[in-house]
Amino acid sequence: MSIVYKCRHCGGTIGRLEQQIVDTSVLGWDKLSDEDKKEMIDYTESGDVQIQAICENCEESLGHHPEYHELDYFIQ
Protein backbone atom coordinates (compact mmCIF):
# COMPACT_ATOMS: atom_id res chain seq x y z
CA MET A 1 0.00 0.00 0.00
CA SER A 2 1.22 3.47 -0.87
CA ILE A 3 0.06 6.81 0.38
CA VAL A 4 0.35 9.27 -2.49
CA TYR A 5 0.11 13.01 -1.93
CA LYS A 6 -1.09 14.85 -5.05
CA CYS A 7 -1.65 18.54 -5.67
CA ARG A 8 -5.34 19.30 -6.02
CA HIS A 9 -4.58 22.15 -8.43
CA CYS A 10 -1.88 20.96 -10.84
CA GLY A 11 -2.21 17.19 -10.31
CA GLY A 12 1.50 16.75 -9.64
CA THR A 13 2.75 14.15 -7.18
CA ILE A 14 4.05 15.84 -4.03
CA GLY A 15 5.27 12.69 -2.31
CA ARG A 16 4.73 9.00 -1.74
CA LEU A 17 4.94 6.88 1.40
CA GLU A 18 5.47 3.15 0.96
CA GLN A 19 4.14 1.68 4.20
CA GLN A 20 2.37 -1.52 5.14
CA ILE A 21 1.09 -0.17 8.45
CA VAL A 22 0.32 3.51 8.94
CA ASP A 23 -0.58 5.34 12.13
CA THR A 24 -3.00 7.92 10.75
CA SER A 25 -2.67 10.07 13.87
CA VAL A 26 1.02 10.57 13.07
CA LEU A 27 -0.03 11.86 9.62
CA GLY A 28 -2.58 14.21 11.22
CA TRP A 29 -5.64 12.60 9.68
CA ASP A 30 -7.32 12.46 13.08
CA LYS A 31 -7.34 16.28 13.10
CA LEU A 32 -9.46 16.44 9.91
CA SER A 33 -13.22 16.81 10.04
CA ASP A 34 -15.33 14.11 8.37
CA GLU A 35 -16.06 16.55 5.55
CA ASP A 36 -12.35 17.27 5.03
CA LYS A 37 -11.57 13.54 5.01
CA LYS A 38 -14.19 12.95 2.31
CA GLU A 39 -12.76 15.80 0.25
CA MET A 40 -9.07 15.01 0.70
CA ILE A 41 -8.69 11.23 1.07
CA ASP A 42 -9.44 8.78 -1.74
CA TYR A 43 -8.86 5.03 -1.82
CA THR A 44 -7.84 3.68 -5.24
CA GLU A 45 -8.69 0.29 -6.72
CA SER A 46 -5.04 -0.75 -6.38
CA GLY A 47 -5.26 -0.31 -2.61
CA ASP A 48 -3.33 2.95 -2.49
CA VAL A 49 -4.51 5.97 -0.56
CA GLN A 50 -4.45 9.26 -2.46
CA ILE A 51 -4.34 12.52 -0.49
CA GLN A 52 -5.32 15.81 -2.09
CA ALA A 53 -3.01 18.58 -0.86
CA ILE A 54 -1.28 21.59 -2.40
CA CYS A 55 2.25 21.77 -3.76
CA GLU A 56 4.66 24.62 -3.04
CA ASN A 57 4.33 26.12 -6.53
CA CYS A 58 0.53 26.27 -6.40
CA GLU A 59 0.62 27.60 -2.84
CA GLU A 60 2.94 30.39 -3.99
CA SER A 61 0.63 31.18 -6.92
CA LEU A 62 -2.33 31.39 -4.54
CA GLY A 63 -0.31 33.75 -2.35
CA HIS A 64 0.29 36.07 -5.29
CA HIS A 65 -3.27 35.74 -6.65
CA PRO A 66 -5.71 35.26 -3.74
CA GLU A 67 -8.67 35.45 -6.13
CA TYR A 68 -7.67 31.95 -7.34
CA HIS A 69 -9.08 30.54 -4.07
CA GLU A 70 -12.53 30.93 -5.64
CA LEU A 71 -11.64 28.42 -8.37
CA ASP A 72 -11.52 24.64 -8.07
CA TYR A 73 -8.67 24.51 -10.60
CA PHE A 74 -6.62 27.51 -11.63
CA ILE A 75 -3.87 25.80 -13.64
CA GLN A 76 -4.93 24.89 -17.15
Side-chain angles (χ1 to χ4, degrees), residues 2 9 18 21 31 35 43 51 58 69:
S2 296
H9 298 289
E18 301 288 342
I21 299 174
K31 307 282 191 246
E35 183 178 317
Y43 299 89
I51 309 296
C58 290
H69 283 280

Side-chain angles (χ1 to χ4, degrees), residues 24-75:
T24 57
S25 65
V26 172
L27 298 176
W29 296 0
D30 59 329
K31 307 282 191 246
L32 298 173
S33 68
D34 288 340
E35 183 178 317
D36 288 339
K37 287 177 187 175
K38 288 178 186 175
E39 183 179 315
M40 296 176 65
I41 301 172
D42 186 35
Y43 299 89
T44 66
E45 290 181 14
S46 65
D48 292 344
V49 179
Q50 187 169 311
I51 309 296
Q52 296 294 318
I54 184 169
C55 70
E56 291 179 5
N57 292 333
C58 290
E59 183 176 17
E60 185 177 333
S61 293
L62 285 167
H64 292 306
H65 304 281
E67 67 275 11
Y68 288 173
H69 283 280
E70 299 172 5
L71 308 172
D72 289 332
Y73 300 98
F74 61 87
I75 296 180

